[in-house]
């Protein structure tokens, strides 16, 4: 069974983790790395402006290359991870030729990540989502059939997210948050350092330059961590925070779980996660992960678990075992294939 996989390919990306897991499940995969065609990582303003200027040409070039690869590879099905640079006409052409085209969408909103995603939605043969509320959003906003939407949570990549040995000293800390900036996340972290002023906190992420306050400036590391560096930071943190993004345009809810919900236990780290009913379905509270609700409980839990390292280690070990049993990308790949077989999209 041949699968053409389209998305970002780099060590530790969620797209790569799923693509490689499908390969381990027996799929013959051909991966098209959209980053080889689309320039998105510039930091200097003139270069950003240039990238925006040439973006439409790059998207056209990428879609032409994808069509060529599909023609040569003759896949049994096509998997598009997120699909920010897919053109609707490309998907239509594949569908017309009899190739099922499936989307795996990892974010909360289909309208907050560029103009192409909403245009493509009607043409997908099936959509997988990591958010339980997205099926209703798709039906309400786009009239997309609920029976063609399946919830498959994020997972961890066992080739990347795993316990490491010796760790760099510059990554060690009491508490870390690894993820993008948002006002809600900043508010929680500001309260944490205000009430625990001696806390050794590290904040990693590529968008914290948007932070307009001052209380967190000494804690913001000013860079994104990827691949083994990301995993090393998880291992080097006594407590890893799972703070969720708030609701954004085009979504009926903010995050309830994220990839970090599974990356952290999968890597053997201690997870202190924002509490909600959905997250509590995956890890037993105070047995496999710890949870908090609001800034006061966050401070209380951080103070407690820094004081009791043995309990912290026990919970991290149990969470790691739970992740190994149930939440790897290999499990997620099996779920994807099972759904597609039931739907008659693959044999």
């Amino acid at each position: 069974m041949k699968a053409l996989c389209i998305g970002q390919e780099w060590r530790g990306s969620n797209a790569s983790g799923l693509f490689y897991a499908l390969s381990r499940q027996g799929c013959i995969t051909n991966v098209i790395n959209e980053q080889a065609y689309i320039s998105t990582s510039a930091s200097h303003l003139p270069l950003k402006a240039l990238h925006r200027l040439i973006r439409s040409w790059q998207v056209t070039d990428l879609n032409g290359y994808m069509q060529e690869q599909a023609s040569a590879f003759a896949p049994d099905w096509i998997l598009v991870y997120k699909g920010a640079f897919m053109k609707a006409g490309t998907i239509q052409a594949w569908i017309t030729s009899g190739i099922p085209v499936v989307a795996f969408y990892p974010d909360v909103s289909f309208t907050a990540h560029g103009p192409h995603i909403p245009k493509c939605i009607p043409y997908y043969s099936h959509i997988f989502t990591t958010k339980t509320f997205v099926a209703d959003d798709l039906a309400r906003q786009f009239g997309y059939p609920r029976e063609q939407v399946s919830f498959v949570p994020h997972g961890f990549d066992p080739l990347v997210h795993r316990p490491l040995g010796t760790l760099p000293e510059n990554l060690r800390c009491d508490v870390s948050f690894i993820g993008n900036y948002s006002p809600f996340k900043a508010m929680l972290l500001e309260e944490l350092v205000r009430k625990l002023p001696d806390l050794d906190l590290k904040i990693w992420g590529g968008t914290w330059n948007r932070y307009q306050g001052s209380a967190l400036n000494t804690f913001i590391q000013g860079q994104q961590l990827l691949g083994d560096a990301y995993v090393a930071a998880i291992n080097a943190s006594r407590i890893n925070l799972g703070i969720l993004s708030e609701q954004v345009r085009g979504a009926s809810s903010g995050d309830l779980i994220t990839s970090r919900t599974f990356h952290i236990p999968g890597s053997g780290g201690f997870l202190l996660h924002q509490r909600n009913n959905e997250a509590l379905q995956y890890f037993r509270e105070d047995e496999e992960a710890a949870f908090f609700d609001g800034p006061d409980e966050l401070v209380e839990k951080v103070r407690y678990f820094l004081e009791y390292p043995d309990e912290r280690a026990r919970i991290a070990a149990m969470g790691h075992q739970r992740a190994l049993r149930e939440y790897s990308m290999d499990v997620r790949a099996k779920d994807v294939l099972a759904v597609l077989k039931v739907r008659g999209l693959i044999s």
Side-chain angles (χ1 to χ4, degrees):
M1 182 169 51
K2 293 185 292 183
L4 180 64
C5 300
I6 300 163
Q8 293 190 2
E9 185 181 23
W10 47 268
R11 181 169 175 79
S13 83
N14 293 316
S16 291
L18 180 58
F19 299 161
Y20 303 157
L22 287 168
S23 180
R24 292 192 293 273
Q25 297 306 312
C27 292
I28 299 171
T29 60
N30 182 9
V31 177
I32 296 178
N33 182 6
E34 64 187 25
Q35 289 182 300
Y37 289 81
I38 308 295
S39 305
T40 60
S41 58
S43 57
H44 297 290
L45 289 178
L47 195 54
K48 285 183 176 181
L50 176 61
H51 287 175
R52 285 195 295 269
L53 181 65
I54 65 173
R55 179 64 50 77
S56 63
W57 294 326
Q58 290 181 323
V59 170
T60 298
D61 191 38
L62 170 62
N63 278 259
Y65 177 74
M66 290 189 295
Q67 290 175 0
E68 292 173 0
Q69 284 293 299
S71 178
F73 184 56
D76 298 300
W77 63 292
I78 295 173
L79 173 62
V80 178
Y81 199 100
K82 190 168 181 174
F85 308 112
M86 292 296 308
K87 286 189 172 183
T90 301
I91 300 173
Q92 283 180 284
W94 288 333
I95 294 293
T96 300
S97 67
I99 306 173
V101 185
V102 174
F104 194 102
Y105 198 75
D107 294 326
V108 297
S109 171
F110 286 85
T111 61
H113 299 282
H116 298 292
I117 292 171
K119 296 176 182 177
C120 291
I121 286 171
Y123 302 105
Y124 283 119
S125 308
H126 201 85
I127 296 177
F128 291 93
T129 170
T130 61
K131 315 299 176 187
T132 51
F133 50 86
V134 157
D136 289 339
D137 289 357
L138 283 170
R140 184 177 63 256
Q141 296 176 30
F142 302 99
Y144 193 83
R146 285 181 174 85
E147 63 271 16
Q148 290 178 216
V149 182
S150 297
F151 169 66
V152 173
H154 282 294
F156 75 96
D157 185 345
L159 300 181
V160 180
H161 308 118
R162 77 279 188 208
L164 300 177
T166 304
L167 301 170
E169 286 299 322
N170 69 308
L171 298 178
R172 294 185 184 276
C173 61
D174 290 335
V175 178
S176 73
F177 175 72
I178 307 173
N180 287 328
Y181 163 81
S182 77
F184 175 74
K185 295 170 186 174
M187 179 276 293
L188 282 178
L189 294 171
E190 285 175 338
E191 284 297 297
L192 182 62
V193 299
R194 185 178 69 84
K195 295 183 178 179
L196 298 175
D198 296 326
L199 185 69
D200 182 9
L201 169 69
K202 293 187 187 298
I203 302 170
W204 303 94
T207 59
W208 281 88
N209 59 327
R210 301 175 188 170
Y211 175 64
Q212 298 297 309
S214 59
L216 299 177
N217 287 345
T218 58
F219 306 103
I220 294 171
Q221 304 302 300
Q223 68 182 85
Q224 185 179 16
L225 293 177
L226 302 174
D228 285 347
Y230 167 63
V231 178
I234 291 173
N235 277 260
S237 304
R238 293 180 177 87
I239 296 174
N240 294 271
L241 298 180
I243 304 176
L244 302 170
S245 296
E246 51 267 55
Q247 185 177 352
V248 298
R249 172 176 56 86
S252 61
S253 172
D255 268 327
L256 300 172
I257 55 174
T258 70
S259 57
R260 288 183 300 277
T261 305
F262 306 101
H263 291 175
I264 291 168
S267 299
F270 175 83
L271 173 63
L272 177 54
H273 198 282
Q274 196 173 334
R275 185 186 289 108
N276 62 68
N277 290 335
E278 186 167 317
L280 289 167
Q281 295 176 22
Y282 295 97
F283 296 100
R284 296 193 300 272
E285 184 164 10
D286 295 333
E287 294 183 34
E288 298 166 332
F291 292 85
F292 72 92
D293 185 12
D296 291 339
E297 190 175 14
L298 172 61
V299 172
E300 174 191 334
K301 290 293 181 72
V302 166
R303 184 184 286 120
Y304 177 85
F305 283 110
L306 287 177
E307 186 176 349
Y308 294 98
D310 290 344
E311 186 171 357
R312 195 175 68 234
R314 176 185 61 79
I315 292 172
M318 293 293 288
H320 180 59
Q321 291 303 312
R322 178 76 178 272
L324 289 177
R325 290 194 306 271
E326 300 182 34
Y327 306 140
S328 73
M329 279 294 192
D330 296 88
V331 173
R332 304 312 190 210
K334 289 178 182 178
D335 291 343
V336 166
L337 294 173
V339 168
L340 296 181
K341 288 177 181 178
V342 169
R343 294 286 304 170
L345 296 173
I346 62 174
S347 56

